[in-house]
Amino acid sequence: MSNKILESLIYWRDVKKSGIVFGAGLVTLVAISSFSVISVFAYLSLLALFGTVAFRIYKSVTQAVQKTNDGHPFKEYLELDLTLSQEKVQHIAGVAVAHLNGFTAELRRLFLVEDLIDSIKFGVILWVFTYIGAWFNGMTLVILAFVSLFTLPKVYENNKQSIDTYLDLVRTKLTEITDKIRVAIPIGKKPVAATESEKDK
């Protein structure tokens, strides 16, 4: 799925398509949270197969009665090229590897305390996640993330100016607090001036 298609869905550019994707995805996730993944996959596949078979029979009967020659009702989709080119696979693999390398390097930096303040903030986030994990199971978090994906971007788009104002205030306060902590606890990254003076020596 391209970025433009994904953006169109989560910003509800086409309400009908977004509604179908959101409804189908939410029903699937809720079903998975109540039943096994295998059962949900099997039932949804059976439902889809029943729908396509019924539609194919209906179109065949309609064509026979009306004596038309419209052909296979799913011809357009059967002729779609779903193969992945070698270049596309290499591009996807390259992007995935780049993100994985960046993620690994960031984790190493945080766990090995390259910057004390950043590691402390990371620890606070992990501590918050322990409470979130106690309140919700993994599947509930996935459902909440899916619902947020289809609601928060649109809310932000409709209220961008006011939300940006509050975010800037929060960002400014956090920066002030972080700077005060860095001054109070002079551990972590060396100041640029100090580093340059050491090089001069």
Side-chain angles (χ1 to χ4, degrees):
M1 182 180 293
S2 67
N3 291 335
K4 288 185 179 180
I5 297 176
L6 181 60
E7 180 182 346
S8 175
L9 288 174
I10 64 177
Y11 283 99
W12 296 80
R13 306 298 186 216
D14 187 329
V15 177
K16 184 178 179 180
K17 289 182 179 179
S18 296
I20 291 173
V21 173
F22 176 70
L26 186 59
V27 168
T28 302
L29 291 175
V30 171
I32 290 175
S33 67
S34 303
F35 307 99
S36 71
V37 176
I38 297 175
S39 297
V40 172
F41 176 76
Y43 279 117
L44 289 177
S45 299
L46 279 173
L47 183 62
L49 181 60
F50 174 79
T52 54
V53 169
F55 186 72
R56 173 71 194 279
I57 294 173
Y58 166 76
K59 292 297 289 185
S60 298
V61 172
T62 302
Q63 291 174 20
V65 172
Q66 297 178 351
K67 295 181 180 180
T68 59
N69 191 21
D70 295 335
H72 199 291
F74 300 117
K75 182 181 179 181
E76 177 185 353
Y77 302 101
L78 288 171
E79 293 176 350
L80 282 176
D81 184 14
L82 300 178
T83 58
L84 286 174
S85 64
Q86 186 175 357
E87 293 78 12
K88 186 68 174 179
V89 172
Q90 289 176 346
H91 174 71
I92 294 172
V95 172
V97 169
H99 283 295
L100 181 61
N101 288 338
F103 180 70
T104 304
E106 184 66 13
L107 285 181
R108 180 183 63 183
R109 188 181 74 83
L110 292 171
F111 277 108
L112 298 183
V113 198
E114 180 181 325
D115 186 307
L116 180 63
I117 304 303
D118 288 345
S119 294
I120 290 175
K121 288 191 288 187
F122 181 59
V124 171
I125 292 173
L126 293 177
W127 177 70
V128 171
F129 276 141
T130 62
Y131 282 92
I132 294 176
W135 294 333
F136 309 104
N137 61 31
M139 202 61 228
T140 304
L141 291 177
V142 171
I143 293 173
L144 290 175
F146 181 78
V147 173
S148 298
L149 180 65
F150 278 84
T151 54
L152 296 184
K154 191 63 178 178
V155 171
Y156 175 74
E157 185 181 50
N158 292 337
N159 304 277
K160 187 177 186 301
Q161 187 172 357
S162 57
I163 292 175
D164 283 345
T165 302
Y166 286 114
L167 286 178
D168 287 339
L169 288 174
V170 172
R171 193 178 296 113
T172 302
K173 290 295 181 183
L174 287 176
T175 302
E176 291 177 1
I177 294 172
T178 302
D179 291 341
K180 289 179 181 178
I181 294 175
R182 287 184 190 279
V183 172
I185 308 175
I187 302 175
K189 292 182 178 178
K190 296 180 180 180
V192 176
T195 305
E196 291 177 351
S197 62
E198 287 178 4
K199 287 182 179 178
D200 294 337
K201 293 178 181 178

